[in-house]
Amino acid sequence: MKNTFLTSSTRRSPLLEALSLKGSKSKNSLLRKDLAIALPLTSLIDAFSIIVIYLLIGTQNSGVESELSGNLKLPQATHSQAVEKKFAVLRIEQGTYFLNDQVVPKKLLTEKLSELKRNTMEQNKKQNITQDIELMVQADTEMKYADLDPLLRAGSQAGIEKLKFAVVPRP
Amino acid sequence: MSNKELNFEINILPILDILSVLICFLLLTAVWIQISTIDTKQAIGDNSLSNGKNPPSLWVTLESDGAIQLSLRDLPKTTQAKVRLESRLAKTGKGIDWTALESKLSDLKKNIPELKTGIVHPGAQSAYGDVIKIMDQLKQNQIEGVGLSPLG
């Protein structure tokens, strides 16, 4: 037989012997039969391990994904609650208020929040949910309190009792 | 050249191994931004003016110079004798003295276990990050009912 690349590069593989379940045989029989029937178990195991790792990380981060503006640097906190459902989000960026990504002028904050509360209560009533409205506030850590104050007053006047301040959990 | 000579397999197992290791590496080093919240329950309407007996509360006032004023309110008379009702924590070179605040809160909670309400009263120029950090410290010391006071 002519000495080709294939014949010269083939070597006895312990892995193939293990997969073939036939033990070690002659070189020729391994190449002809065992290569054909051996399942690619290693690649399957690899794929499964990746899925497992992905799921492990995914389940640790069980919170609801929230969109966050790139301009905001949220404050950090140690004693915080995980976000488990979607809330109405009020974002404050450089003195501008965004209620669910819609710009709201400062003067209309109370009106818009009252409207939000009314709509949420109606929806909850249809679904027989007795939970009160909760508002998530997203603001930059460097923001002055004077920019948050109008929201507190508007929330109080609109009857929104529960405010949730978005933070990044400190490890 | 015969067909047999051309028909050889590329060993893909090492490639798969390298790929899987790379994917794992990327997954583990990726930045997972997770948002959580600090919850507050604000007074609405004229709740705060009700004539019912208020629970003991701690008011944390952020002064314009960076100092912190701590005031205890609505304490039972028996407890009032044990603790100082007013105390002031001067600012450090870096701003608010977080270590002093932490130890003060810890002492207060030790002396007044029934203290479960904290109100943060910042100034107009107080940083939002500092306000959140104070609320976080209150919650760490089992003062769970935290609220924010409006300006004025």
Side-chain angles (χ1 to χ4, degrees):
Chain A
M1 193 178 158
K2 199 177 166 185
N3 194 18
T4 63
F5 168 75
L6 183 65
T7 52
S8 64
S9 64
T10 51
R11 282 180 172 73
R12 191 168 164 233
S13 161
L15 180 64
L16 279 174
E17 282 175 12
L19 291 173
S20 69
L21 303 173
K22 287 183 179 176
S24 62
K25 284 190 175 178
S26 70
K27 215 183 209 178
N28 288 339
S29 66
L30 264 175
L31 281 169
R32 284 183 204 139
K33 294 178 185 175
D34 300 342
L35 262 178
I37 60 161
L39 285 168
L41 279 181
T42 315
S43 51
L44 284 174
I45 291 165
D46 284 347
F48 277 121
S49 57
I50 290 167
I51 293 166
V52 167
I53 291 167
Y54 179 76
L55 289 174
L56 274 174
I57 294 172
T59 48
Q60 278 174 5
N61 183 20
S62 60
V64 174
E65 284 179 24
S66 305
E67 285 180 16
L68 191 63
S69 169
N71 302 329
L72 284 185
K73 191 184 164 204
L74 293 180
Q76 290 193 332
T78 314
H79 197 281
S80 54
Q81 313 291 317
V83 181
E84 284 163 359
K85 58 178 184 174
K86 287 223 166 193
F87 302 103
V89 176
L90 196 136
R91 195 172 77 246
I92 309 171
E93 268 186 85
Q94 293 166 348
T96 312
Y97 300 85
F98 298 86
L99 182 59
N100 293 327
D101 288 330
Q102 303 279 319
V103 180
V104 178
K106 204 186 277 185
K107 286 177 186 173
L108 296 179
L109 259 178
T110 309
E111 192 184 312
K112 291 284 178 189
L113 289 178
S114 304
E115 194 182 313
L116 177 77
K117 180 170 179 171
R118 206 167 41 244
N119 292 342
T120 312
M121 295 299 271
E122 278 173 17
Q123 279 179 8
N124 286 353
K125 204 174 177 182
K126 281 178 192 168
Q127 295 168 3
N128 285 328
I129 302 169
T130 51
Q131 203 175 8
D132 205 2
I133 183 173
E134 291 170 305
L135 184 68
M136 187 198 273
V137 181
Q138 293 181 353
D140 193 276
T141 186
E142 299 294 330
M143 185 187 75
K144 298 292 174 206
Y145 188 70
D147 287 335
L148 183 69
D149 185 60
L151 168 66
L152 295 180
R153 290 175 189 276
S156 174
Q157 283 166 16
I160 296 177
E161 220 177 358
K162 292 177 183 173
L163 291 182
K164 290 174 166 282
F165 295 96
V167 292
V168 176
R170 191 175 289 155
Chain B
M1 202 181 271
S2 68
N3 285 340
K4 195 179 175 185
E5 286 168 23
L6 283 172
N7 188 19
F8 69 93
E9 286 182 35
I10 298 170
N11 195 357
I12 58 162
L13 289 181
I15 301 168
L16 274 174
D17 283 343
I18 292 167
L19 277 178
S20 58
V21 169
L22 271 175
I23 291 167
C24 292
F25 176 77
L26 289 172
L27 276 172
L28 293 173
T29 54
V31 179
W32 298 83
I33 295 180
Q34 191 185 347
I35 294 180
S36 55
T37 57
I38 284 198
D39 301 354
T40 60
K41 200 170 179 185
Q42 296 292 113
I44 55 167
D46 58 354
N47 274 3
S48 55
L49 300 175
S50 61
N51 292 325
K53 197 184 174 191
N54 290 324
S57 61
L58 173 69
W59 284 67
V60 184
T61 308
L62 270 88
E63 293 179 355
S64 53
D65 62 349
I68 290 183
Q69 181 78 29
L70 298 170
S71 315
L72 288 162
R73 296 188 190 177
D74 303 307
L75 281 185
K77 281 184 183 169
T78 48
T79 320
Q80 279 182 19
K82 287 188 212 166
V83 287
R84 277 177 64 191
L85 296 180
E86 300 277 338
S87 45
R88 193 172 188 274
L89 305 172
K91 77 172 243 188
T92 61
K94 291 177 187 173
I96 294 170
D97 191 349
W98 296 110
T99 321
L101 178 64
E102 172 60 35
S103 63
K104 185 75 189 170
L105 290 176
S106 178
D107 284 350
L108 281 175
K109 188 65 190 174
K110 213 178 283 174
N111 291 326
I112 317 163
E114 65 270 26
L115 183 64
K116 285 183 178 142
T117 307
I119 310 288
V120 184
H121 182 59
Q125 294 305 308
S126 305
Y128 173 68
D130 289 342
V131 177
I132 294 291
K133 201 168 174 182
I134 290 172
M135 293 203 290
D136 189 31
Q137 286 207 353
L138 287 171
K139 283 184 177 268
Q140 278 179 52
N141 286 284
Q142 285 89 45
I143 301 173
E144 293 292 337
V146 175
L148 270 175
S149 160
L151 292 173

PDB file of all heavy atoms in Angstrom, chain B residues 110-122:
ATOM      1  N   LYS B 110     -29.417  49.304  68.752  1.00  0.00           N
ATOM      2  CA  LYS B 110     -29.148  48.434  69.898  1.00  0.00           C
ATOM      3  C   LYS B 110     -29.916  48.934  71.130  1.00  0.00           C
ATOM      4  O   LYS B 110     -30.491  48.164  71.881  1.00  0.00           O
ATOM      5  CB  LYS B 110     -27.642  48.437  70.180  1.00  0.00           C
ATOM      6  CG  LYS B 110     -27.122  47.102  70.711  1.00  0.00           C
ATOM      7  CD  LYS B 110     -25.626  47.152  70.935  1.00  0.00           C
ATOM      8  CE  LYS B 110     -24.867  47.045  69.628  1.00  0.00           C
ATOM      9  NZ  LYS B 110     -23.411  47.227  69.792  1.00  0.00           N
ATOM     10  N   ASN B 111     -29.911  50.265  71.296  1.00  0.00           N
ATOM     11  CA  ASN B 111     -30.560  50.864  72.464  1.00  0.00           C
ATOM     12  C   ASN B 111     -32.081  50.956  72.312  1.00  0.00           C
ATOM     13  O   ASN B 111     -32.809  50.916  73.298  1.00  0.00           O
ATOM     14  CB  ASN B 111     -30.008  52.267  72.734  1.00  0.00           C
ATOM     15  CG  ASN B 111     -28.576  52.219  73.211  1.00  0.00           C
ATOM     16  OD1 ASN B 111     -28.184  51.282  73.908  1.00  0.00           O
ATOM     17  ND2 ASN B 111     -27.782  53.189  72.811  1.00  0.00           N
ATOM     18  N   ILE B 112     -32.531  51.124  71.073  1.00  0.00           N
ATOM     19  CA  ILE B 112     -33.983  51.264  70.841  1.00  0.00           C
ATOM     20  C   ILE B 112     -34.414  50.211  69.807  1.00  0.00           C
ATOM     21  O   ILE B 112     -34.547  50.521  68.612  1.00  0.00           O
ATOM     22  CB  ILE B 112     -34.342  52.684  70.328  1.00  0.00           C
ATOM     23  CG1 ILE B 112     -33.576  53.746  71.116  1.00  0.00           C
ATOM     24  CG2 ILE B 112     -35.832  52.945  70.396  1.00  0.00           C
ATOM     25  CD1 ILE B 112     -33.541  55.092  70.435  1.00  0.00           C
ATOM     26  N   PRO B 113     -34.636  48.985  70.210  1.00  0.00           N
ATOM     27  CA  PRO B 113     -34.982  47.939  69.235  1.00  0.00           C
ATOM     28  C   PRO B 113     -36.306  48.210  68.512  1.00  0.00           C
ATOM     29  O   PRO B 113     -36.503  47.747  67.390  1.00  0.00           O
ATOM     30  CB  PRO B 113     -35.088  46.673  70.080  1.00  0.00           C
ATOM     31  CG  PRO B 113     -34.431  46.978  71.364  1.00  0.00           C
ATOM     32  CD  PRO B 113     -34.555  48.446  71.579  1.00  0.00           C
ATOM     33  N   GLU B 114     -37.199  48.985  69.166  1.00  0.00           N
ATOM     34  CA  GLU B 114     -38.502  49.248  68.541  1.00  0.00           C
ATOM     35  C   GLU B 114     -38.435  50.328  67.457  1.00  0.00           C
ATOM     36  O   GLU B 114     -39.439  50.629  66.803  1.00  0.00           O
ATOM     37  CB  GLU B 114     -39.552  49.620  69.601  1.00  0.00           C
ATOM     38  CG  GLU B 114     -39.311  50.919  70.345  1.00  0.00           C
ATOM     39  CD  GLU B 114     -38.471  50.760  71.608  1.00  0.00           C
ATOM     40  OE1 GLU B 114     -37.666  49.812  71.687  1.00  0.00           O
ATOM     41  OE2 GLU B 114     -38.608  51.605  72.520  1.00  0.00           O
ATOM     42  N   LEU B 115     -37.255  50.887  67.249  1.00  0.00           N
ATOM     43  CA  LEU B 115     -37.084  51.930  66.225  1.00  0.00           C
ATOM     44  C   LEU B 115     -37.103  51.278  64.831  1.00  0.00           C
ATOM     45  O   LEU B 115     -36.176  50.570  64.454  1.00  0.00           O
ATOM     46  CB  LEU B 115     -35.754  52.650  66.456  1.00  0.00           C
ATOM     47  CG  LEU B 115     -35.446  53.819  65.523  1.00  0.00           C
ATOM     48  CD1 LEU B 115     -36.447  54.953  65.697  1.00  0.00           C
ATOM     49  CD2 LEU B 115     -34.041  54.335  65.762  1.00  0.00           C
ATOM     50  N   LYS B 116     -38.184  51.507  64.097  1.00  0.00           N
ATOM     51  CA  LYS B 116     -38.314  50.867  62.784  1.00  0.00           C
ATOM     52  C   LYS B 116     -38.650  51.857  61.666  1.00  0.00           C
ATOM     53  O   LYS B 116     -38.869  51.457  60.537  1.00  0.00           O
ATOM     54  CB  LYS B 116     -39.394  49.783  62.841  1.00  0.00           C
ATOM     55  CG  LYS B 116     -38.884  48.558  63.579  1.00  0.00           C
ATOM     56  CD  LYS B 116     -39.850  47.440  63.618  1.00  0.00           C
ATOM     57  CE  LYS B 116     -39.208  46.271  64.346  1.00  0.00           C
ATOM     58  NZ  LYS B 116     -40.080  45.529  65.175  1.00  0.00           N
ATOM     59  N   THR B 117     -38.724  53.138  62.029  1.00  0.00           N
ATOM     60  CA  THR B 117     -39.070  54.131  61.015  1.00  0.00           C
ATOM     61  C   THR B 117     -37.958  55.170  60.893  1.00  0.00           C
ATOM     62  O   THR B 117     -37.476  55.691  61.899  1.00  0.00           O
ATOM     63  CB  THR B 117     -40.389  54.842  61.398  1.00  0.00           C
ATOM     64  OG1 THR B 117     -41.366  53.844  61.643  1.00  0.00           O
ATOM     65  CG2 THR B 117     -40.876  55.751  60.287  1.00  0.00           C
ATOM     66  N   GLY B 118     -37.562  55.437  59.672  1.00  0.00           N
ATOM     67  CA  GLY B 118     -36.527  56.441  59.431  1.00  0.00           C
ATOM     68  C   GLY B 118     -36.978  57.375  58.322  1.00  0.00           C
ATOM     69  O   GLY B 118     -37.506  56.929  57.301  1.00  0.00           O
ATOM     70  N   ILE B 119     -36.804  58.663  58.553  1.00  0.00           N
ATOM     71  CA  ILE B 119     -37.161  59.656  57.526  1.00  0.00           C
ATOM     72  C   ILE B 119     -35.888  60.397  57.138  1.00  0.00           C
ATOM     73  O   ILE B 119     -35.180  60.912  58.006  1.00  0.00           O
ATOM     74  CB  ILE B 119     -38.199  60.695  58.059  1.00  0.00           C
ATOM     75  CG1 ILE B 119     -39.401  59.999  58.720  1.00  0.00           C
ATOM     76  CG2 ILE B 119     -38.648  61.644  56.953  1.00  0.00           C
ATOM     77  CD1 ILE B 119     -40.335  59.313  57.784  1.00  0.00           C
ATOM     78  N   VAL B 120     -35.615  60.438  55.866  1.00  0.00           N
ATOM     79  CA  VAL B 120     -34.430  61.160  55.386  1.00  0.00           C
ATOM     80  C   VAL B 120     -34.899  62.525  54.882  1.00  0.00           C
ATOM     81  O   VAL B 120     -35.834  62.607  54.082  1.00  0.00           O
ATOM     82  CB  VAL B 120     -33.724  60.369  54.258  1.00  0.00           C
ATOM     83  CG1 VAL B 120     -32.448  61.078  53.843  1.00  0.00           C
ATOM     84  CG2 VAL B 120     -33.408  58.945  54.701  1.00  0.00           C
ATOM     85  N   HIS B 121     -34.242  63.550  55.395  1.00  0.00           N
ATOM     86  CA  HIS B 121     -34.617  64.921  55.027  1.00  0.00           C
ATOM     87  C   HIS B 121     -33.406  65.613  54.403  1.00  0.00           C
ATOM     88  O   HIS B 121     -32.612  66.254  55.098  1.00  0.00           O
ATOM     89  CB  HIS B 121     -35.105  65.660  56.289  1.00  0.00           C
ATOM     90  CG  HIS B 121     -35.551  67.055  56.013  1.00  0.00           C
ATOM     91  ND1 HIS B 121     -36.545  67.367  55.148  1.00  0.00           N
ATOM     92  CD2 HIS B 121     -35.100  68.244  56.495  1.00  0.00           C
ATOM     93  CE1 HIS B 121     -36.710  68.671  55.091  1.00  0.00           C
ATOM     94  NE2 HIS B 121     -35.836  69.220  55.904  1.00  0.00           N
ATOM     95  N   PRO B 122     -33.230  65.461  53.081  1.00  0.00           N
ATOM     96  CA  PRO B 122     -32.044  66.043  52.451  1.00  0.00           C
ATOM     97  C   PRO B 122     -32.234  67.523  52.151  1.00  0.00           C
ATOM     98  O   PRO B 122     -33.356  68.033  52.159  1.00  0.00           O
ATOM     99  CB  PRO B 122     -31.918  65.262  51.139  1.00  0.00           C
ATOM    100  CG  PRO B 122     -32.993  64.215  51.186  1.00  0.00           C
ATOM    101  CD  PRO B 122     -34.033  64.690  52.136  1.00  0.00           C
TER     102      PRO B 122
END
